[in-house]
Amino acid sequence: MSQLLEATFWSATTAGGLRLATPLIYASIGETFAQRAGVLNLGLEGYMIIGALSSLYVADPTSAPLGFLAGGLAGMALASLMILLSIRLFANQVVVGFGLTILGIGTTGYIFHETTDVGGRARQVSLPSEIDIPLLSDIPWLGDAVFGHSWYTWLSLSLVIVAGFVASRTVFGLQVKAVGEDPDAAAAKGVDVLRIRTQATLVSGFLGGLGGAALMLGSVGRFQPYLTANRGFIALIVIIMASWSVWGAAMGAFVFGFFEALGFNLNNAFVDVPIEGLNAIPFFVALVILTVSARWARMPRGLGANYIPTV
């Protein structure tokens, strides 16, 4: 119990929360663009898991940055199936999304099984070192909690700023919002609805793949089947919690990561508490926030509905 009163406990929890939130930040921001454009992209879990495996197989013989990029491209490749089936051929978005998740999980499990010898050396990469910000990292408590993380985390935080600007201050961001709210009106104004939805879905696939790669290369270091453990679906929850806001999605990702880290650290402080109960903490908090935020959350009006051009 005394550990809860120590600053180091909360410093470690905050730092762990940022680290655990990093993959969710990538995935949730990408999915935010897709859903704001009206594409209910439930294949996010598939993008993350295929991005994780691809990043490992490229980073192992080359370098972590190349593996990271490969993870994003792998997620984008899987997202192209969403584009083909749902955006271009008008198949049901929910069915296709779940199908891509199953495809991603099954394909990565099969590839990993076929390329890894039983009892042999498991493929793994070294985890990155922390990048401390001079002076700021020396601040008591705050320095250890906030200003000492890997480049995967720093890049994700930079992405929040860039994505927030793109979503609200650029023509592309405004077109994304327009085709998600009223695709017919957007088309009447000369916006190519299918093109914008295609681009937003590619962004979702790329950033979802980067989220899986960040989990693989930045936090775990070795692949196991079903490594992502439903983080893609957690990112979907985060987006609803954030009411489809880029900044809110990043904050929601941190909230979830913080309480997940809190559960881990509480397990060390209270050894008699069942680990299953502590692991449920972030999901319980997410449920409470979803229940409260549902009063004012408003999803894009065109979300999940295919757009069929009249011409």
Side-chain angles (χ1 to χ4, degrees):
M1 179 66 72
S2 61
Q3 296 183 34
L4 298 180
L5 303 178
E6 298 178 1
T8 54
F9 177 88
W10 296 106
S11 175
T13 300
T14 303
L18 266 175
R19 185 175 65 254
L20 292 170
T22 297
L24 293 179
I25 291 175
Y26 288 108
S28 61
I29 288 179
E31 182 67 11
T32 297
F33 275 95
Q35 293 199 16
R36 283 169 70 98
V39 181
L40 186 56
N41 205 355
L42 298 182
L44 190 57
E45 181 80 6
Y47 305 159
M48 293 188 72
I49 189 68
I50 202 167
L53 183 65
S54 300
S55 67
L56 173 63
Y57 279 26
V58 173
D60 188 16
T62 58
S63 65
L66 285 178
F68 186 62
L69 177 60
L73 294 177
M76 184 184 292
L78 189 58
S80 65
L81 292 178
M82 182 74 180
I83 295 169
L84 173 64
L85 297 174
S86 287
I87 298 178
R88 301 293 176 172
L89 299 179
F90 317 119
N92 185 281
Q93 295 181 13
V94 174
V95 174
V96 173
F98 277 118
L100 292 181
T101 291
I102 295 171
L103 177 63
I105 294 173
T107 300
T108 53
Y110 173 77
I111 293 175
F112 183 74
H113 178 268
E114 290 298 313
T115 57
T116 304
D117 295 334
V118 176
R121 184 185 70 87
R123 294 189 186 218
Q124 61 185 46
V125 293
S126 301
L127 296 180
S129 57
E130 295 182 352
I131 300 176
D132 297 327
I133 297 181
L135 300 180
L136 295 178
S137 59
D138 296 328
I139 300 176
W141 189 86
L142 190 63
D144 293 334
V146 178
F147 298 111
H149 292 279
S150 70
W151 65 269
Y152 297 101
T153 298
W154 292 122
L155 182 60
S156 71
L157 297 179
S158 301
L159 176 65
V160 175
I161 300 174
V162 174
F165 176 83
V166 170
S168 60
R169 302 293 182 180
T170 66
V171 173
F172 174 70
L174 296 177
Q175 289 178 336
V176 164
K177 184 176 181 180
V179 302
E181 290 292 337
D182 193 337
D184 291 319
K189 292 292 185 179
V191 178
D192 189 335
V193 175
L194 297 184
R195 177 177 61 85
I196 295 300
R197 287 190 169 186
T198 295
Q199 293 172 348
T201 304
L202 288 175
V203 170
S204 175
F206 183 71
L207 293 182
L210 290 186
L215 175 66
M216 177 71 253
L217 303 177
S219 298
V220 180
R222 61 186 302 171
F223 186 85
Q224 294 293 333
Y226 210 63
L227 173 73
T228 49
N230 292 321
R231 281 177 170 82
F233 293 107
I234 293 170
L236 295 172
I237 295 174
V238 165
I239 294 169
I240 301 173
M241 289 166 54
S243 193
W244 290 269
S245 162
V246 171
W247 293 95
M251 181 58 67
F254 171 71
V255 169
F256 195 95
F258 176 85
F259 282 100
E260 187 176 7
L262 179 63
F264 291 147
N265 291 339
L266 285 177
N267 183 53
N268 297 326
F270 303 100
V271 294
D272 295 332
V273 178
I275 185 63
E276 293 80 8
L278 298 176
N279 289 340
I281 290 177
F283 297 95
F284 175 76
V285 173
L287 178 62
V288 172
I289 295 177
L290 274 176
T291 303
V292 174
S293 63
R295 293 178 176 273
W296 63 81
R298 188 185 70 83
M299 70 179 187
R301 287 183 295 174
L303 180 61
N306 291 330
Y307 173 75
I308 303 177
T310 55
V311 180

